[in-house]
Amino acid sequence: MKKAFYSILGIAVVALIFIANVASASACVFGHYQPEVPESLRK
């Protein structure tokens, strides 16, 4: 019983890590965009 629990837990951890990687990778595309700072804010 314990072996099955750890197996299911391991699969759940792998799935959650995969989902986290996909979510962060899609957010990084927008993170690279840096608009030019206006002259009034550069001071």
Side-chain angles (χ1 to χ4, degrees):
M1 186 69 181
K2 238 182 188 183
K3 187 176 180 181
F5 174 72
Y6 285 128
S7 178
I8 292 170
L9 186 63
I11 292 170
V13 168
V14 169
L16 290 174
I17 290 173
F18 177 75
I19 291 169
N21 283 334
V22 169
S24 66
S26 65
C28 288
V29 173
F30 302 111
H32 291 288
Y33 174 72
Q34 294 182 352
E36 191 163 332
V37 178
E39 287 290 330
S40 60
L41 295 177
R42 291 184 191 174
K43 296 179 184 180

